[in-house]
Amino acid sequence: MTAAGRGVLVTGASGGLGRAVAVAFAAQGDRVAVHYGSREEGARETLGLLAGGGHALVGGDLADPAGAARVADLADEGIGGVDVLVNNAAVNDAHPPLSTPYEEFAAHWQRHVAVNLTAPALLAHRVAGRMVERGVRGRVVNVGSRGAFRGEPDYPAYGASKAGLHALGQSLAVALGPHGIAVASVAPGFIATDRVAHRLTGAEGEAIRAQSPFGRVATVEEVAAAVLWLASDGAEWASGTVLDLNGASYLRT
C-alpha cells in the first residue's frame, strides 16, 4: 500500500485525462500540482474538484525549456516537493503529410516533439534530480499512446513523439532505478474526453468504437486508475514497462 501525502505534479490537468488523474491522486490523500499551458480556467476547475488540501496551480509553456524548468520549480515550491511526476500534457493536431503545406508541417513537428517528448525529458531531469537529493523513492509515469505502435497517418508527429516518449521512459527506468525511482508508461487507445467528443458521433464514432471488441472507448477514470497503480509502491517492479490500455483494439507481443 502506498502512503498518502505525496507531492504529485500532473501536467496538462485542465481537463480530460489530466483532470481525472489529479482527482484520483487527491482522493487518496496526495497533494497535487495542477499544471496548465493556456487553459487556466479549466485548471482552476480541476483544482476545485480536488479532495483535501495542499494543492497548487502551476502555469507554464512546456514547449519552452525555460518554461518547463519553471513549471518543475513552481510545483516543487507549491506542494512541498514532487514525489510523483505524471507527464500527461500533449499536442495532437492533424497534419496529413500529403495535404499539409511544408512550413505548416514543419511547425507541427517542432511543437509536437517539444511538448510531447522534450518537455517530459526536461521535467524528469529537473524533478528526478531533486528526488535523489531528498532520498525519495519517487515515480515518473508517462502518458504515451497506442498510436506509437499502430501508426497515425494524419498525426505522424504525434505517433512518433509518443514512441519516443515510451523509449525515454525505458531509458530513464534504467538510469534512475539505482536511486529507487521507478519509471513507466501507459499507452492508451481512444479515450472519451470533451476534446474529442465530436469524433465519437455518427459513422466516425461507430468506427472508432468498433476498433475494440468491447464496442466502446476508454473512460478517463480507467486510464487514471492505471496511472495511479504505476505510481504506487507496489508497482516498483513494473518500472520500464509500457502498459497497453486499448481494450484489445491493438494487440502486440
Side-chain angles (χ1 to χ4, degrees), residues 96-196:
L98 298 181
S99 59
T100 306
Y102 180 84
E103 292 76 11
E104 183 182 337
F105 190 71
H108 276 298
W109 272 88
Q110 290 175 332
R111 181 153 181 79
H112 277 76
V113 171
V115 176
N116 299 1
L117 179 56
T118 304
L122 297 178
L123 288 169
H125 180 278
R126 197 83 161 184
V127 169
R130 289 176 178 155
M131 289 178 182
V132 173
E133 290 173 0
R134 293 164 50 223
V136 171
R137 298 183 73 83
R139 297 287 184 266
V140 177
V141 182
N142 298 318
V143 178
S145 173
R146 173 188 69 175
F149 306 113
R150 71 191 291 266
E152 293 287 353
D154 291 335
Y155 306 81
Y158 178 78
S161 60
K162 289 299 189 177
L165 183 61
H166 295 166
L168 168 68
Q170 293 180 322
S171 294
L172 290 176
V174 177
L176 302 179
H179 302 280
I181 300 171
V183 185
S185 303
V186 293
F190 209 98
I191 308 171
T193 66
D194 291 341
R195 289 180 64 184
V196 297

Side-chain angles (χ1 to χ4, degrees), residues 146 150 188-190 208-214 216 245-251:
R146 173 188 69 175
R150 71 191 291 266
F190 209 98
I208 290 172
R209 287 187 289 273
Q211 292 172 0
S212 167
F214 293 97
R216 66 176 181 88
L245 296 167
N246 63 50
S249 64
Y250 184 80
L251 302 177

